[in-house]
Amino acid sequence: MPIISKDDFSYHTNDCPDVGDGMRTTSLPEEVTSIDDLECGCWDAYDSLDELE
């Protein structure tokens, strides 16, 4: 389950050390169509969005 940062509204993995304070979400927004759309390095552990399901 992704976490959205309250500081800058960016998306992070559950175990990301950079997220700080955030809120769990049930899914990523429709605008995210590939893992490359996610800016934080915590997503580098994944090759594709399919791995998140």
Side-chain angles (χ1 to χ4, degrees):
M1 187 176 295
I3 298 174
I4 186 170
S5 171
K6 289 184 181 180
D7 294 331
D8 62 3
F9 302 105
S10 59
Y11 289 87
H12 301 268
T13 60
N14 287 332
D15 57 351
C16 180
D18 298 330
V19 70
D21 194 21
M23 179 177 63
R24 295 190 189 282
T25 63
T26 57
S27 62
L28 294 167
E30 292 179 12
E31 294 84 17
V32 176
T33 58
S34 108
I35 204 77
D36 295 328
D37 293 335
L38 299 163
E39 296 177 8
C40 186
C42 63
W43 297 104
D44 292 346
Y46 300 94
D47 292 323
S48 73
L49 292 177
D50 295 333
E51 292 181 58
L52 303 177
E53 297 176 1

